[in-house]
């Protein structure tokens, strides 16, 4: 069951970086007169630094002169300049199985922020500046907004082997459509999600996040065995048995632990304390 977004008011966008829960990412972006929260990573000017690693944004001096070329929406290639590197993992890259959770941020002359997997050219999303509340004027239909998002995915990824399957969409109070896609391995959903934000009044794509893009490519030819049962969940996490009748599984997805092990993570809501926690179960690979 996919997490329902319809009950979330305001302009909270699930998808773009401040660490939220477990292996999911979220982002806090100050833009214009409003603060936009996107689940996936954090674009902010907060300073942070830790010996051997860091949590939050950090300017890496060796990258200061780094540039990239990028084209969006069939426009001519744009020169991008390095801004900062964002780390949203508790561990430095040297202690993790891969670099996902750490991203290099580049900007163009309009201050649009482009996201790349750290130390790579793998494009993982973008964010335009100048968010605004759009409460007046004509609103695109869900079909029209979905068509715009689908076309953008096709333009960006083409016949890419990482196929994103449409999951859900909703329109928030600022008339911004949030359209979510997910990548699967067989019948198992992964946390390789793509979220696209479309302005309902204009059809403009304001942001896109796919921060785990390509993370599971090496597993696509593997046979994954997973016993999807609540009994196994209780066996691995007996602390859930006592509150079983008060718990609801909101979502489940395949992810990688920091050590590189495949696990299925359950997001479980407990109505007694109103909290959502994550519980992981190992998955077999052949």
């Amino acid at each position: 069951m996919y997490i329902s977004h319809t009950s979330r008011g305001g302009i909270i966008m699930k998808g773009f970086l401040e660490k939220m829960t477990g292996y999911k990412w979220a982002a806090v972006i100050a833009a214009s007169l409003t603060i936009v929260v996107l689940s996936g990573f954090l674009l902010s000017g907060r300073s942070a630094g830790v010996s051997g690693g860091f949590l939050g944004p950090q300017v890496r001096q060796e990258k200061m002169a780094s540039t990239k070329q990028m084209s969006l929406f069939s426009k001519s290639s744009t020169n991008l300049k390095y801004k900062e590197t964002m780390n949203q993992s508790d561990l430095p890259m040297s202690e993790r199985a891969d670099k996902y959770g750490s991203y290099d941020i580049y900007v163009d002359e309009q201050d649009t922020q482009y996201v790349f997997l750290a130390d790579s050219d793998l494009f993982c999303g973008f964010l335009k500046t100048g968010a605004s509340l759009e409460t007046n004027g004509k609103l695109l239909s869900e079909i029209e907004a979905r068509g715009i998002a689908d076309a953008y995915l096709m333009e960006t990824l083409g016949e890419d082997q990482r196929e994103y399957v449409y999951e859900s969409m909703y329109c928030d109070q600022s008339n911004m459509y949030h359209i979510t896609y997910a990548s699967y391995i067989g019948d198992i959903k992964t946390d390789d999600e793509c979220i696209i934000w479309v302005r309902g009044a204009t059809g403009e794509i304001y942001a896109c996040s796919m921060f785990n893009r390509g993370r599971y490519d090496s597993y696509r030819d593997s046979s994954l065995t997973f016993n999807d049962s609540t009994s196994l969940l209780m066996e691995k996490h007996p602390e859930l048995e006592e509150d079983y009748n008060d718990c609801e599984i909101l979502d489940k997805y395949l992810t990688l632990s920091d050590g590189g092990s495949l696990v299925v993570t359950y997001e479980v809501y407990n109505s007694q304390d109103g909290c959502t926690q994550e519980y992981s179960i190992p998955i077999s690979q052949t």
Side-chain angles (χ1 to χ4, degrees), residues 104-229:
D104 291 331
I105 314 301
Y106 286 73
V107 295
D108 62 17
E109 292 181 353
Q110 287 72 47
D111 205 31
T112 295
Q113 304 191 56
Y114 299 78
V115 185
F116 298 86
L117 185 66
D119 301 325
S120 80
D121 291 324
L122 183 64
F123 176 64
C124 293
F126 75 92
L127 173 71
K128 294 183 178 181
T129 57
S132 60
L133 296 176
E134 296 176 349
T135 56
N136 299 315
K138 180 182 178 181
L139 180 67
L140 294 175
S141 68
E142 288 192 355
I143 294 176
E144 290 171 322
R146 167 80 186 278
I148 290 171
D150 287 350
Y152 170 74
L153 265 187
M154 179 60 68
E155 177 185 333
T156 304
L157 303 179
E159 299 302 322
D160 196 292
Q161 63 176 332
R162 292 175 283 269
E163 293 185 1
Y164 286 107
V165 178
Y166 170 76
E167 291 284 309
S168 63
M169 70 183 296
Y170 73 102
C171 187
D172 65 22
Q173 293 178 1
S174 66
N175 288 349
M176 185 83 76
Y177 280 103
H178 306 224
I179 305 168
T180 300
Y181 305 80
S183 181
Y184 284 73
I185 298 179
D187 295 329
I188 306 175
K189 185 174 74 171
T190 73
D191 65 354
D192 178 4
E193 286 187 334
C194 174
I195 304 177
I196 297 174
W197 291 267
V198 178
R199 293 184 186 274
T202 63
E204 174 192 19
I205 296 179
Y206 169 69
C208 170
S209 70
M210 37 188 169
F211 298 113
N212 284 327
R213 179 185 176 192
R215 193 179 195 188
Y216 304 101
D217 284 0
S218 61
Y219 298 98
R220 295 194 179 281
D221 294 329
S222 304
S223 296
L224 303 181
T225 303
F226 176 61
N227 181 3
D228 184 12
S229 66

